[in-house]
């Protein structure tokens, strides 16, 4: 009998977004398949900036956190 349970994989992936003026923000991507593509994450970040969920400004880097 196995008493240990595997944790299910995370359904969302979290990224740390750095701006040129030193600010940071967090970005969550709900689709783990798209989160592996660096270009797609950049497009998602730009779309979220246009929607207002991410702050405006020049993004210098995006790094996966979780």
């Amino acid at each position: 009998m196995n008493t240990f349970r595997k944790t299910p994989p995370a359904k969302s992936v979290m990224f740390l977004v750095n701006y040129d003026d030193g600010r940071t923000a967090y970005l969550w991507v709900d689709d783990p398949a798209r989160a592996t593509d660096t270009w797609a994450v950049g497009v998602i970040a730009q779309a979220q900036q246009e929607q207002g969920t991410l702050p405006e400004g020049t993004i210098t880097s995006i790094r996966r956190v979780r």
Side-chain angles (χ1 to χ4, degrees):
M1 181 170 163
N2 190 359
T3 59
F4 296 102
R5 295 183 185 169
K6 284 187 175 182
T7 59
K11 296 187 191 298
S12 64
V13 181
M14 187 167 75
F15 292 90
L16 179 67
V17 180
N18 293 315
Y19 292 90
D20 62 347
D21 60 357
R23 292 178 298 154
T24 59
Y26 289 100
L27 165 70
W28 284 270
V29 177
D30 293 329
D31 185 9
R34 289 187 67 192
T36 59
D37 184 14
T38 307
W39 180 80
V41 173
V43 170
I44 292 169
Q46 288 176 350
Q48 287 196 8
Q49 275 187 321
E50 291 172 0
Q51 294 173 356
T53 55
L54 271 182
E56 291 295 322
T58 304
I59 296 174
T60 56
S61 67
I62 301 174
R63 184 180 58 147
R64 183 177 176 156
V65 178
R66 175 182 67 85

